[in-house]
Amino acid sequence: MKGKEVFFQGNEACAEGALYAGCRFFGGYPITPSTEIAEILSNRLPKIGGAFIQMEDEIAAMASIIGASLVGKKSLTATSGPGMSLKLENLGFACITEVPCVIVNVMRGGPSTGLPTGPGQSDVMQAKWGTHGDHPAVVLAPASVQEIFNETVRAFNLAERLRTPVILLTDEIIGHMREKIVIPEEGVLEIWDRSRPDCSPEEFLPYDTSKGIVPPMADFGSGYRHHVTGLNHDASGFPTNKPSLVQPEEERLMAKVTENLDIIEKYEHLKKDGAKVGIVAYGSSARSAKAAIKQAEEEGIPVDFVRPITLWPYPTEPTLEMAGKVDVIIVPEMNLGQMIDEVQRCILGKARVIGVNRVDGDPITPENILEKIREVV
Amino acid sequence: MAFNYDKYMRPGKLPHIWCPGCAHGIVMKSIIRALDRVGLDKDRTVIVSGIGCASRMPGYVDFNTLHTTHGRSLAFATGVKMADPSLNVICVAGDGDSLAIGGNHFIHACRRNIDITMIVFNNNIYGMTGGQFSPTTPHGKLASTTPYGNPDYAFDVAELSMGAGATYVSRGTVYHAIPLERQIADGITHKGFSVIDALCTCPTTYGRRNKLGSPIDMILWFKDNTVGLKAAQKLSPEELEGKILTGVFRNDIKPEYCEEYQKIIEMAQGAVAGG
Ligand SMILES: Cc1ncc(C[n+]2csc(CCOP(=O)(O)OP(=O)(O)O)c2C)c(N)n1
Ligand code: SF4
Ligand SMILES: [Mg+2]
């Protein structure tokens, strides 16, 4: 990749990726271990004519980025568990009103205030199900500093293309870890923008799906006056409770994701000859899994590996394929068993699934996983 | 000549959801006349609301309109305004919406002095959910959740706004619709955060329970129980007992938030140019 080599922290890479993607508005509220993203953008955004605001809480921060996106600005907020919980109601608002925006959750440990400075992966189900009501979820889970940069760019791209909020889930380990990465030159990575209406303001319908499942979006202030509401609405944007209109609109929100898997799904699938053990891991736990797989190989134990980079929608296909080959699938995660349920769901009973779980504030080590590998073979 | 509201109403959106006798419509009409008086460009104006009977107002008027989540209008509006400070941004909200669940956003918008006009449709009750007490329900009054009388004491919206730093603060009533219109217009033209405490009525869930008479009686009550700030200066404390003060409480000039942020942009860009 053509670009500039830098030695960056994960949170720095996230801020830089956002700017690369065209982010021009950040609304936030300080919380460890995400705060560096806000600090960096408070410095950088005004330099390029963008805006940074520290709101009074995370509810307001989430609201502010939706407001800014409605004016046409690519918008970001960043937080961790307690703040994510506060953002959820307005996250659902962005889903139903189809306002593109990106939410970063640098996961830490524990429920409530938990372990503020320790890593965790306990918000992976919250990311999918956290806001009430049926809603689409697009959630990306990078595992390295370079990947944080690239996936932040992709998060903005997907948000714009699908008109939906996208969540980037990192954790305290990769958020604070430093690695050498390449910041690509402008133009190396593709940047997508939302489609805007090409009809006249008089003809404009804010949820017009005649040209595709994702309706073009008009900026507030651009002459296309329209109404935006979190109530179920029809193509004109005004509230409706007509059953014949409500159900198809809710189904369309979900279909925006299921019909665009080609651009959303992303995973790593490593196959070894004769593997009878497989691992599914994501985020920083996937790093330990990879190290464990290498050591196991040295001990003569081949291990298959699936790493969802897009965590939601979950990559069913490679997991099912792996389950058809191996006897046991190990799912290491820094929670007491969350994605393991999803792995179970998609493998149709074809393999035994066991977890390696830690919530003590220390990372899952390669040794933790290796022990489990040895145990099962 | 009678004022032509049609120019500002979205065709086909009436009848509204409000009960017969609800005074929210009077506040809406005052806002429309104020917008006309100021001559705002519809395309460059965004009207934001939260949730409640009052918050359904933006759906009826022909502007860029945003009906958000309960209590959050100012937080959404702050994003809109910061993203494009040249837009005119107006918030409409109920007393519960703006001062209970939205109270934190309210005081911080006041403190920032961001150029947004907040019109509180203050009917002293949670109308939409059927008459639970709100932060402006007077002490002792009945609500569906204060069957023994309200143990809480009410906020004075004007005092709260001034204490928090709003630079234009006024109170009007739906009986005094013309002064209310003028206050809203002044609030909009004011550079900074403006709060208009628009006293209105909910005959359905508040008036009936507290035996306040007909919807018209409730509106007439404002005539006898409010005193303009100027008139109040000539009255004794005894004469003012139990009276609600109306008028413009504050109209100050103070640096506005987006203008301050523009200075930051210039500073940051200067730093770039200077290396
Ligand atoms: C988060 C959330 N909590 C509660 C509600 C229920 N709710 C809807 S409107 C409302 C109160 C509205 O009262 P007010 O703001 O005074 O407006 P009014 O209806 O009196 O005009 C409440 C509690 C909600 N919609 N969302
Ligand atoms: S419930 Fe009260 S506030 Fe709501 S529309 Fe009826 S009268 Fe108006
Ligand atoms: Mg009310």
Side-chain angles (χ1 to χ4, degrees):
Chain A
M1 199 158 60
K2 258 177 95 176
K4 190 174 79 180
E5 267 194 12
V6 291
F7 189 61
F8 261 15
Q9 189 196 54
N11 284 343
E12 247 177 315
C14 179
E16 205 65 45
L19 294 170
Y20 189 95
C23 173
R24 289 297 175 271
F25 184 87
F26 181 95
Y29 190 83
I31 185 166
T32 308
S34 75
T35 306
E36 295 84 3
I37 301 171
E39 288 171 343
I40 293 165
L41 290 174
S42 71
N43 178 297
R44 296 288 298 281
L45 278 168
K47 290 185 182 169
I48 53 172
F52 166 92
I53 188 164
Q54 181 171 311
M55 295 298 286
E56 51 275 15
D57 59 32
E58 287 89 347
I59 300 172
M62 186 66 211
S64 74
I65 71 165
I66 297 170
S69 184
L70 281 163
V71 182
K73 298 277 156 66
K74 290 188 187 181
S75 304
L76 177 74
T77 188
T79 188
S80 189
M84 193 66 199
S85 292
L86 288 181
K87 289 183 196 291
L88 291 176
E89 189 197 6
N90 285 336
L91 176 69
F93 183 88
C95 289
I96 196 173
T97 54
E98 301 181 63
V99 177
C101 53
V102 177
I103 302 98
V104 181
N105 178 358
V106 186
M107 291 183 285
R108 60 195 227 181
S112 188
T113 309
L115 295 170
T117 56
Q121 293 182 311
S122 300
D123 307 342
V124 289
M125 284 292 167
Q126 182 201 47
K128 178 168 170 61
W129 297 112
T131 192
H132 62 278
D134 291 295
H135 57 274
V138 179
V139 181
L140 314 182
S144 69
V145 176
Q146 181 75 57
E147 209 167 69
I148 289 179
F149 180 92
N150 293 41
E151 290 305 297
T152 303
V153 175
R154 203 165 70 93
F156 275 96
N157 283 349
L158 290 174
E160 293 285 313
R161 181 72 56 95
L162 302 170
R163 275 193 71 173
T164 199
V166 173
I167 296 174
L168 189 85
L169 277 184
T170 67
D171 60 61
E172 192 279 331
I173 299 173
I174 49 170
H176 282 160
M177 179 175 69
R178 286 186 180 275
E179 287 182 320
K180 194 161 82 178
I181 70 163
V182 178
I183 306 287
E185 276 175 12
E186 205 183 307
V188 172
L189 298 183
E190 242 184 88
I191 301 300
W192 300 345
D193 290 320
R194 65 192 72 174
S195 77
R196 290 182 164 86
D198 52 16
C199 60
S200 69
E202 291 70 34
E203 295 165 318
F204 176 65
L205 286 174
Y207 300 98
D208 175 13
T209 50
S210 60
K211 291 202 185 117
I213 194 164
V214 183
M217 185 172 173
D219 301 344
F220 272 171
S222 66
Y224 291 78
R225 294 193 302 278
H226 63 286
H227 187 54
V228 175
T229 176
L231 286 162
N232 280 91
H233 42 261
D234 60 19
S236 73
F238 288 95
T240 181
N241 48 19
K242 247 195 197 162
S244 63
L245 294 174
V246 172
Q247 174 121 359
E249 271 298 281
E250 287 215 15
E251 286 174 353
R252 181 178 63 78
L253 293 184
M254 306 303 260
K256 285 197 299 183
V257 173
T258 52
E259 289 182 16
N260 283 296
L261 289 181
D262 55 323
I263 56 167
I264 303 171
E265 268 200 341
K266 194 172 175 187
Y267 54 83
E268 193 181 350
H269 187 181
L270 305 176
K271 306 171 201 181
K272 299 274 162 64
D273 285 342
K276 287 290 149 207
V277 184
I279 294 180
V280 173
Y282 53 91
S284 63
S285 298
R287 302 171 70 95
S288 299
K290 269 196 171 169
I293 289 169
K294 205 168 153 220
Q295 272 173 267
E297 200 167 19
E298 284 163 16
E299 294 177 21
I301 312 170
V303 181
D304 273 11
F305 183 52
V306 169
R307 178 172 73 90
I309 299 169
T310 298
L311 200 58
W312 299 111
Y314 182 82
T316 302
E317 227 173 90
T319 313
L320 185 60
E321 187 192 323
M322 183 163 82
K325 178 181 165 194
V326 303
D327 300 328
V328 184
I329 295 177
I330 299 170
V331 185
E333 36 183 355
M334 285 186 285
N335 56 49
L336 293 177
Q338 296 198 18
M339 290 310 290
I340 193 169
D341 288 352
E342 184 65 12
V343 173
Q344 291 273 21
R345 183 194 66 77
C346 60
I347 64 166
L348 311 170
K350 289 186 186 214
R352 194 154 66 89
V353 185
I354 49 176
V356 174
N357 306 93
R358 279 189 87 155
V359 289
D360 58 2
D362 278 337
I364 294 175
T365 62
E367 193 55 36
N368 293 150
I369 300 169
L370 196 60
E371 262 169 40
K372 198 55 100 185
I373 295 173
R374 292 195 196 110
E375 200 180 298
V376 298
V377 292
Chain B
M1 206 177 71
F3 185 86
N4 179 16
Y5 292 94
D6 289 349
K7 195 174 144 195
Y8 295 96
M9 299 301 287
R10 283 183 164 129
K13 297 301 167 202
L14 295 178
H16 53 67
I17 64 149
W18 297 319
C19 305
C22 175
H24 282 350
I26 301 176
V27 185
M28 175 170 76
K29 288 171 85 173
S30 304
I31 294 172
I32 292 173
R33 291 191 310 276
L35 289 165
D36 185 72
R37 192 191 267 251
V38 178
L40 289 191
D41 178 352
K42 287 185 191 179
D43 284 338
R44 302 296 299 160
T45 302
V46 184
I47 304 183
V48 190
S49 69
I51 296 291
C53 297
S55 290
R56 294 299 281 265
M57 176 268 180
Y60 304 120
V61 293
D62 185 19
F63 293 85
N64 303 282
T65 53
L66 176 58
H67 177 228
T68 68
T69 46
H70 191 26
R72 317 299 174 198
S73 63
L74 282 169
F76 281 83
T78 298
V80 168
K81 185 74 183 174
M82 281 290 280
D84 184 351
S86 71
L87 290 169
N88 310 298
V89 183
I90 294 161
C91 280
V92 296
D95 42 305
D97 188 79
S98 56
L99 302 168
I101 193 165
N104 198 31
H105 312 308
F106 186 89
I107 55 174
H108 288 278
C110 291
R111 175 179 64 81
R112 286 189 194 104
N113 194 34
I114 188 162
D115 188 19
I116 294 173
T117 303
M118 173 63 147
I119 300 144
V120 181
F121 288 52
N122 187 353
N123 58 8
N124 313 100
I125 200 79
Y126 286 6
M128 178 156 271
T129 43
Q132 300 75 33
F133 74 100
S134 87
T136 62
T137 304
H139 181 72
K141 289 291 182 193
L142 296 175
S144 74
T145 47
T146 57
Y148 304 104
N150 183 17
D152 290 23
Y153 288 89
F155 269 142
D156 179 321
V157 180
E159 294 287 348
L160 176 71
S161 308
M162 288 189 286
T167 46
Y168 181 93
V169 178
S170 74
R171 179 179 293 127
T173 88
V174 287
Y175 177 81
H176 309 88
I178 303 301
L180 178 63
E181 166 196 330
R182 205 179 307 124
Q183 289 174 14
I184 296 169
D186 289 349
I188 292 168
T189 42
H190 175 77
K191 191 91 192 155
F193 192 70
S194 311
V195 179
I196 291 95
D197 183 17
L199 303 184
C200 58
T201 60
C202 172
T204 305
T205 78
Y206 184 69
R208 237 184 249 168
R209 188 172 270 115
N210 287 290
K211 303 200 167 39
L212 301 179
S214 71
I216 294 173
D217 293 335
M218 287 179 75
I219 292 171
L220 289 173
W221 185 89
F222 291 125
K223 175 172 176 264
D224 302 325
N225 292 281
T226 58
V227 179
L229 279 178
K230 278 209 192 91
Q233 285 171 356
K234 298 189 199 104
L235 298 179
S236 68
E238 293 72 39
E239 287 169 311
L240 281 172
E241 180 72 33
K243 298 277 190 265
I244 300 170
L245 296 181
T246 58
V248 179
F249 292 82
R250 179 183 282 173
N251 189 357
D252 282 352
I253 296 175
K254 224 178 84 178
E256 189 275 329
Y257 192 76
C258 295
E259 288 183 349
E260 288 298 294
Y261 197 78
Q262 186 55 38
K263 287 184 201 157
I264 286 175
I265 290 177
E266 280 153 27
M267 224 189 293
Q269 293 183 339
V272 174

